[in-house]
Amino acid sequence: DFARSVDLYEPIASITFSRGLINMSWEVEANQYNRTSWVNDYNPPRQPDASPPDPTLDAGAIRHSTLPVHDIVDRIEASSLPLDPRICYAGDGGGFLSEYIAYLGVTHQALHSDPAQPDWCVAAGHVHVGGLVPWDVAADAVDETLEVVLDYVDGVLAAPSIDPFCPG
């Protein structure tokens, strides 16, 4: 489904979301790994269809979020939302389906990171939403997160390109 969606929509940015720990966190993941082993999902099929998901990199290779992670956390902290926003630098996305989709998102961005590509993707990353976060609070936090990412993308798109210096 992920590959079909990005092929159809050619996103300029991608944020994947999933439920996280049973708390009120808004956890922006910094690291996603190209795993060969995944925690079983609750329903069949229990494992992803490709393991590791990225055959172009070694198993265990890391891809980092390219979202403006600090700005997202700052925006959630400044909001009136009852959340515990944080960036997860140490560790990974847990090896579950959520890290798999997170890895697909950051891999898509890495493969489409050249501004000259017609399907350029500026940024991608993942947010774990605490299991105690009510849906209405999560929806508001998604809106805040999207505002930050869209502002970031607008800034990247507005940046002037710099011609290489060619002495004459």
Side-chain angles (χ1 to χ4, degrees):
D1 291 348
F2 184 84
R4 184 176 54 239
S5 294
V6 296
D7 287 347
L8 177 64
Y9 295 108
E10 297 179 351
I12 191 106
S14 173
I15 310 168
T16 55
F17 294 91
S18 66
R19 282 294 189 180
L21 299 173
I22 305 302
N23 59 21
M24 291 294 290
S25 64
W26 195 258
E27 187 174 19
V28 184
E29 295 291 341
N31 306 316
Q32 286 76 218
Y33 291 89
N34 195 31
R35 295 176 179 272
T36 58
S37 175
W38 300 89
V39 175
N40 277 341
D41 194 5
Y42 301 117
N43 299 308
R46 298 191 187 284
Q47 289 288 311
D49 56 357
S51 191
D54 184 359
T56 68
L57 290 180
D58 290 338
I62 187 172
R63 289 203 188 268
H64 300 287
S65 176
T66 52
L67 296 175
V69 295
H70 293 283
D71 294 342
I72 293 169
V73 168
D74 290 348
R75 178 77 167 256
I76 299 297
E77 282 179 340
S79 75
S80 61
L81 297 170
L83 295 172
D84 177 21
R86 61 185 106 163
I87 302 167
C88 180
Y89 290 110
D92 54 50
F96 197 63
L97 177 62
S98 55
E99 187 177 7
Y100 187 79
I101 192 69
Y103 193 84
L104 293 178
V106 296
T107 297
H108 172 79
Q109 189 280 325
L111 297 175
H112 299 89
S113 62
D114 183 348
Q117 289 176 281
D119 57 352
W120 176 30
C121 185
V122 173
H126 187 76
V127 176
H128 267 118
V129 179
L132 297 179
V133 177
W135 287 108
D136 61 329
V137 172
D140 289 344
V142 166
D143 288 345
E144 296 290 339
T145 300
L146 286 172
E147 287 288 331
V148 170
V149 173
L150 291 172
D151 287 348
Y152 174 74
V153 168
D154 286 347
V156 170
L157 295 177
S161 65
I162 301 172
D163 292 330
F165 176 72
C166 297

